[in-house]
Amino acid sequence: METIDEKKIIRKMTWSIVPLLFAGWFINYLDRANIGFAALQMNQELGMGPELFGFAAGIFYLGYILFEVPSNLMMHRFGARKWLARIMFTWGLVAVGIAFAQTPNQLIAGRILLGVVEAGFFPSVLYYLASWFPAKHLGKAIGQVYCANIIALVIGFPISGLIMSMAHEVGGFSGWRWMMVIEGAPAVVLGVIAFFHIVDKPADAKWLTEREWNWLVKTLEAEHASAEKIGTSSFKKALVTPMVWFLGVMYFSMGVGFFGISTWLPQVIKQMSSMSIIQIGFVGAIPFLLGAIAMILNAKHSDRHNERRWHLAVPLGIGALSLAASGLTSSTPLVSFIFICIAAAGIIGSFSVFWTLPPTFLSGAGAAGGMALINAISGLAGFFAPWLVGVVRGHTPDFTMTLYVLAFAVVMAALLGAFLPYPDPVRKSVIKDVGLET
């Protein structure tokens, strides 16, 4: 009897599913994060100080958090094809519209609306991947998609710098406005492509043979049944499962470190040096390039050894120590920047491993709701971190104290990663103690 070539099936799935999701997540993060680079021109033009900028950057997550869980439930109801296409199309329109903001209040309103229409995109992508990829291949698949947001920063910083410098005052439009238009429009196109390309479930995949489809469905059904036995497939029960909330707090702490770095890095580099906008773009890409590499390698190593806990806690510990070291060496810009690079590699390197945890005790609607809730809780970091940095900067001329605060948050994430009793190959006996049994 002919044996199933598992690697061939996973390779088919990867090439059919990952590229479009990668492109979507790339543009998604570029459109929400480019405000950090726009600030180099926008703050002066709109008359915004550090605190108001931090508020405008973070307020995106207000709409994002409020509509995160409902959006993910709509995806579960209407299917990935329709819902992901809708999200991409509408956020592209709003992202372009922000370019026409004339006052801080208009900018803030645009950022809130962007959060509303983007809500649910990433947890929907995660749920979709978990619906296709068996557990031992899921970490790599998530890493391949998730690194798109890091590459968006790697490529986006230089591209944003070039657009803002070369297009400034073209047609009477400021460089940062052109950047918003050029980087937002691709999402509209991707929305149309997604509507015709995405396949909702394995049963509809014409690029799998019947034997391949049978193997995949049976494998996924067995894993989902196991996850339901350990945890739940119920949406309501997922929302009151303690481990979901614990993971949300952990991801929030990780997010404080990440958003604190990504939103303010261009201004940190500007304060440390006399670089041009274009130079800041290329230098600012370095930490995120290292982070993308660390994410892929860490996820691959974690999948190979079927180990999650220390592939999560150790990189976060490195990230926390490096942020603190960057603060201690802030008087020496080059050394301080090197530590920021190491911190970014540690924090970002842990993300894809983190998202392999929820599917181990959630399935079906429970997975959709639980992942959305975790991401919604972490979304608070997207608001809190930029705002916090803005407040601290309003009272001190440098970023030293801010780096210590960010380091403390990442320490908390590392401790939670090390000691939370989530299901893994090492500690399955304590599941009942944290409310994962139904």
Side-chain angles (χ1 to χ4, degrees):
M1 184 176 180
E2 185 183 355
T3 59
I4 288 292
D5 188 343
E6 183 175 340
K7 291 184 177 179
K8 180 181 178 182
I9 298 173
I10 299 302
R11 189 162 53 247
K12 277 188 179 182
M13 290 164 51
T14 299
W15 282 107
S16 299
I17 295 172
V18 169
L20 181 60
L21 297 181
F22 177 94
W25 187 225
F26 175 91
I27 298 298
N28 178 279
Y29 206 81
L30 190 64
D31 288 342
R32 75 164 75 167
N34 58 14
I35 191 172
F37 216 90
L40 298 176
Q41 292 178 349
M42 179 185 69
N43 285 5
Q44 183 177 359
E45 184 173 327
L46 299 185
M48 297 194 301
E51 289 187 42
L52 185 55
F53 165 73
F55 181 80
I59 199 65
F60 162 89
Y61 289 92
L62 175 62
Y64 192 86
I65 293 167
L66 291 176
F67 288 86
E68 183 88 327
V69 174
S71 178
N72 222 37
L73 286 179
M74 291 299 101
M75 192 280 292
H76 185 67
R77 179 178 178 181
F78 293 111
R81 180 177 65 88
K82 294 178 181 178
W83 199 248
L84 288 175
R86 192 285 301 166
I87 293 175
M88 293 180 191
F89 189 84
T90 52
W91 103 53
L93 294 178
V94 175
V96 171
I98 289 176
F100 298 91
Q102 300 297 322
T103 67
N105 286 339
Q106 291 177 2
L107 175 68
I108 290 170
R111 292 287 292 177
I112 293 174
L113 183 58
L114 185 63
V116 170
V117 297
E118 278 193 24
F121 179 73
F122 184 57
S124 292
V125 167
L126 292 172
Y127 175 75
Y128 183 65
L129 289 172
S131 300
W132 278 84
F133 285 87
K136 66 179 180 179
H137 301 288
L138 183 59
K140 184 178 178 181
I142 291 175
Q144 289 169 333
V145 174
Y146 198 99
C147 72
N149 73 326
I150 311 305
I151 295 175
L153 295 173
V154 173
I155 299 176
F157 270 32
I159 290 177
S160 296
L162 287 169
I163 293 173
M164 286 173 59
S165 296
M166 299 179 67
H168 189 55
E169 297 302 335
V170 172
F173 226 40
S174 302
W176 72 269
R177 298 182 187 276
W178 277 114
M179 179 189 69
M180 294 290 185
V181 172
I182 293 172
E183 293 179 355
V188 178
V189 178
L190 279 176
V192 176
I193 295 174
F195 185 81
F196 293 100
H197 178 78
I198 288 178
V199 179
D200 282 321
K201 53 186 182 295
D204 299 329
K206 296 180 180 179
W207 34 266
L208 288 176
T209 66
E210 184 177 353
R211 294 185 71 253
E212 291 171 339
W213 175 86
N214 284 330
W215 173 85
L216 179 60
V217 170
K218 288 179 180 179
T219 301
L220 291 172
E221 285 179 348
E223 291 183 353
H224 294 166
S226 176
E228 184 174 354
K229 184 177 180 180
I230 294 174
T232 183
S233 63
S234 165
F235 169 72
K236 291 182 179 179
K237 289 182 179 180
L239 296 188
V240 296
T241 297
M243 185 54 63
V244 171
W245 287 88
F246 282 133
L247 290 179
V249 172
M250 180 181 171
Y251 200 49
F252 168 85
S253 299
M254 295 162 64
V256 169
F258 175 73
F259 289 118
I261 294 174
S262 61
T263 304
W264 286 89
L265 186 60
Q267 295 181 64
V268 172
I269 297 172
K270 184 177 181 180
Q271 179 175 294
M272 287 180 173
S273 66
S274 56
M275 294 182 182
S276 67
I277 289 178
I278 294 177
Q279 290 171 327
I280 291 173
F282 282 100
V283 172
I286 295 173
F288 304 107
L289 175 61
L290 295 175
I293 295 171
M295 181 188 296
I296 294 295
L297 294 178
N298 193 43
K300 187 176 181 179
H301 195 266
S302 176
D303 277 353
R304 182 183 302 138
H305 294 277
N306 195 29
E307 200 287 323
R308 306 302 187 193
R309 185 172 304 279
W310 301 113
H311 284 81
L312 188 58
V314 172
L316 288 171
I318 292 172
L321 291 174
S322 298
L323 281 172
S326 181
L328 286 170
T329 58
S330 60
S331 59
T332 309
L334 178 60
V335 176
S336 183
F337 181 73
I338 289 173
F339 279 118
I340 287 179
C341 291
I342 298 173
I347 296 169
I348 295 167
S350 66
F351 283 155
S352 58
V353 174
F354 174 87
W355 282 112
T356 64
L357 301 181
T360 62
F361 63 93
L362 298 171
S363 65
M371 288 182 174
L373 179 59
I374 292 170
N375 205 50
I377 295 171
S378 75
L380 292 170
F383 169 74
F384 180 74
W387 172 79
L388 177 64
V389 175
V391 170
V392 174
R393 279 221 61 208
H395 293 84
T396 181
D398 60 36
F399 287 91
T400 302
M401 185 57 65
T402 298
L403 290 168
Y404 293 151
V405 173
L406 300 182
F408 177 78
V410 181
V411 165
M412 297 303 296
L415 292 174
L416 289 170
F419 297 111
L420 273 182
Y422 46 78
D424 69 8
V426 180
R427 297 172 68 178
K428 290 184 177 178
S429 61
V430 290
I431 291 171
K432 186 175 180 180
D433 297 336
V434 293
L436 293 182
E437 286 194 342
T438 58

